[in-house]
Amino acid sequence: MSGREPLLMALEMFFTALSDRSRLEIVLFLLNHGSSSVQEITKALGRSQSLISHHLACLRNCGVVKVERRGKYSYYSIANDAVASIVKLAIEHAMRNSRSILACDVINEEKVSVNLNRGL
């Protein structure tokens, strides 16, 4: 195992957290709306509360979001300016390069392979 292995593993997990469509929707919602409760996120995204809570736990564990208790409720927001900057830069990059990103044969083949393995 190389000295870079722990860093590579952490980066892979961080970007995997952001690569899930539901988690990415949550991140974009929080980026645009700021601190929000699970109920607010659930209503806005039209998903079940248990699914949103599950994804928020992953995002919290990966340092993407932070949680603040206010009375009986928990409010989630983007963890810090660095995470917000990473997401904003990724948005800019995707907007500038959407045609080539969407045409990436390697990623498209990987998605087909994953869907076939899942039986979709």
Side-chain angles (χ1 to χ4, degrees):
M1 185 182 281
S2 75
R4 293 187 305 169
E5 189 63 25
L7 174 61
L8 289 171
M9 289 174 63
L11 284 168
E12 181 180 26
M13 296 295 286
F14 175 78
F15 285 111
T16 298
L18 291 175
S19 72
D20 177 88
R21 187 180 194 96
S22 294
R23 290 191 292 266
L24 193 53
E25 285 183 294
I26 293 167
V27 169
L28 294 177
F29 177 83
L30 292 174
L31 197 60
N32 290 322
H33 294 89
S35 182
S36 301
S37 68
V38 174
Q39 293 78 12
E40 292 167 334
I41 299 167
T42 297
K43 184 176 180 182
L45 300 182
R47 304 278 169 63
S48 72
Q49 184 170 337
S50 62
L51 179 69
I52 295 297
S53 294
H54 172 75
H55 286 304
L56 283 167
C58 171
L59 292 168
R60 189 180 66 245
N61 290 339
C62 292
V64 177
V65 301
K66 63 183 177 183
V67 62
E68 177 186 341
R69 293 284 290 170
R70 294 185 209 155
K72 296 190 318 185
Y73 298 99
S74 295
Y75 287 82
Y76 291 83
S77 58
I78 300 299
N80 53 50
D81 290 340
V83 172
S85 293
I86 290 167
V87 175
K88 288 176 185 176
L89 286 169
I91 291 168
E92 291 172 18
H93 177 77
M95 290 174 72
R96 277 194 311 272
N97 299 285
S98 62
R99 181 173 284 150
S100 60
I101 292 169
L102 293 171
C104 179
D105 291 336
V106 174
I107 292 174
N108 286 324
E109 287 173 15
E110 289 174 358
K111 287 180 89 171
V112 168
S113 176
V114 167
N115 288 337
L116 287 174
N117 289 335
R118 288 184 183 163
L120 299 178

